[in-house]
Amino acid sequence: MFGNLKKKLKSFFDKAGKEAETEEVEEEVLVEVEEDLEAPKVTSKKKPKEKKEAEKEELEEEKKIEDSKTEKPKRKRSIFKKITRRHISEKSLDSILWELELALLENDVAKEVTESITKDTKERLLETDLKKGETAEKAITSALKAAIEKTLDVGDFDIIEKIREKEEGPTLILFVGFNGSGKTMTIGKFAQVLQNEGISVVMAAGDTFRAAAIEQLDVHAKALKVPIVKQQRGSDAAAVIYDAVEHAKAKGIDVVLGDTAGRSHADLNLMDELKKVVRVNKPDITIFVGDSLTGNDAAEQAKRFNEAVGIDASVLTKADCDVKGGACISISHMTEKPIIYLGTGQGYEDIEEFNPDWFVEKVFE
Ligand SMILES: Nc1nc2c(ncn2[C@@H]2O[C@H](COP(=O)(O)OP(=O)(O)OP(=O)(O)O)[C@@H](O)[C@H]2O)c(=O)[nH]1
Ligand SMILES: [Mg+2]
């Protein structure tokens, strides 16, 4: 998973580590010191000591001070102290971050998201000094990690909790997205995830448009032993889903998994049909299902679907074949809605919960 992105980032870090110029800035800062009022401090000129020995002495000194704290009166005094800060120079950062921008764009991260990540990484690096012994490469890696985590972190969406929270009637979950993105397969996977949680489900064959779509959902329903509500091809999708909700109400089923036909946001007729499905049935949760292999396009689609019908979260499928990871990085930022699961294969069990930390660890491992 995400092999290309990992490789690109690794070679970017190697190169950036070599190209980054660090500069040292000397500054005088005001610090407060405490000193004894009784015994004036005698500063003896000592020979420089081995680091360990000096640290040991320092600890003993601290202990002595601690012990005598209660007895001796102290006086506070402010003095100027010279300190040296080390950071990556802004000039070298600009060319390094240009390389980062290319690495992200090559891996299908959307342009606006790439720019935002690069800007955030730069700000983090300019704001923070390099720690003692920290290499430029290490600093760049942690700044980029933090920037990507921030991009992905658009809030939690716990779907199981949402379902359990609903007090009356079934929860309707509607799956929307482009043709072939994996909606129907994802419904099968969700049916299994929910059943494993003790939540009962019914499938609604709301794709009345594509040939064999109803039969395809029927195969999943049979394999998973889940009820299905369906009508003839060409019938009204909104009505099929309405019937499924009524069926769930009558049978005390917890969740309706509503399939819909694949469509492009640019197909106005089909988008109007989807708006009608939403208007009539008012889904509790709408999930955008995107094919991660389509990268940037998946993110753009998600944004348009969100504008048209409002989505609550995304599922990205085919992550098992995705070497770039661009859609994963872009989609949350562009919709401001979290990715909740990744599809990782064609079996019902091939679904993994998504969280930003997991993704970042995976890409930077
Ligand atoms: N490798 C892999 N294949 C997947 C995954 N999810 C779905 N697929 C495959 O992608 C193809 C399309 O999946 P569907 O579930 O039919 O997609 P859809 O969005 O319902 O398609 P339409 O109804 O035509 O819009 C099928 O061959 C699925 O088996 C996944 O996570 N990994
Ligand atoms: Mg389908």
Side-chain angles (χ1 to χ4, degrees), residues 141-360:
T141 310
S142 27
L144 179 60
K145 244 184 185 179
I148 294 184
E149 252 169 39
K150 193 176 142 218
T151 305
L152 293 172
D153 191 7
V154 289
D156 293 334
F157 187 85
D158 187 335
I159 194 159
I160 308 286
E161 200 179 293
K162 277 257 175 306
I163 293 167
R164 293 207 165 115
E165 264 171 13
K166 183 151 183 193
E167 281 171 4
E168 242 178 80
T171 301
L172 170 61
I173 309 179
L174 199 65
F175 295 79
V176 302
F178 199 68
N179 307 69
S181 65
K183 297 173 292 299
T184 309
M185 179 82 240
T186 301
I187 287 178
K189 293 175 182 180
F190 262 66
Q192 193 164 65
V193 168
L194 298 183
Q195 282 183 324
N196 288 344
E197 291 285 334
I199 296 168
S200 55
V201 303
V202 56
M203 293 179 178
D207 180 356
T208 55
F209 183 75
R210 182 172 62 76
I214 299 167
E215 290 76 5
Q216 190 189 349
L217 191 68
D218 212 16
V219 170
H220 292 315
K222 286 208 170 74
L224 292 158
K225 300 188 175 57
V226 165
I228 177 169
V229 171
K230 56 189 177 180
Q231 285 179 23
Q232 296 299 315
R233 185 174 170 216
S235 53
D236 182 9
V240 177
I241 291 173
Y242 185 87
D243 284 354
V245 174
E246 289 302 305
H247 176 86
K249 275 185 197 162
K251 301 276 177 191
I253 296 172
D254 303 319
V255 170
V256 177
L257 299 169
D259 197 10
T260 62
R263 69 201 79 209
S264 155
H265 66 271
D267 187 330
L268 297 181
N269 286 339
L270 277 176
M271 282 316 267
D272 279 346
E273 190 222 30
L274 188 62
K275 284 180 188 165
K276 183 180 166 196
V277 170
V278 170
R279 209 169 46 242
V280 170
N281 294 291
K282 298 184 183 57
D284 301 283
I285 301 168
T286 301
I287 291 179
F288 174 80
V289 181
D291 174 346
S292 61
L293 300 177
T294 61
N296 207 352
D297 285 347
E300 190 60 39
Q301 286 279 345
K303 188 176 165 186
R304 300 306 184 95
F305 271 78
N306 190 32
E307 285 160 5
V309 293
I311 64 165
D312 296 292
S314 297
V315 170
L316 276 176
T317 63
K318 310 181 197 177
D320 48 313
C321 313
D322 180 17
V323 292
K324 294 184 168 178
C328 283
I329 297 179
S330 303
I331 216 161
S332 325
H333 184 88
M334 286 176 71
T335 58
E336 289 177 10
K337 301 290 158 60
I339 302 170
I340 50 172
Y341 287 101
L342 289 185
T344 54
Q346 291 181 297
Y348 295 124
E349 65 292 341
D350 295 329
I351 180 160
E352 277 186 45
E353 268 183 63
F354 181 92
N355 76 63
D357 296 344
W358 171 87
F359 178 81
V360 169

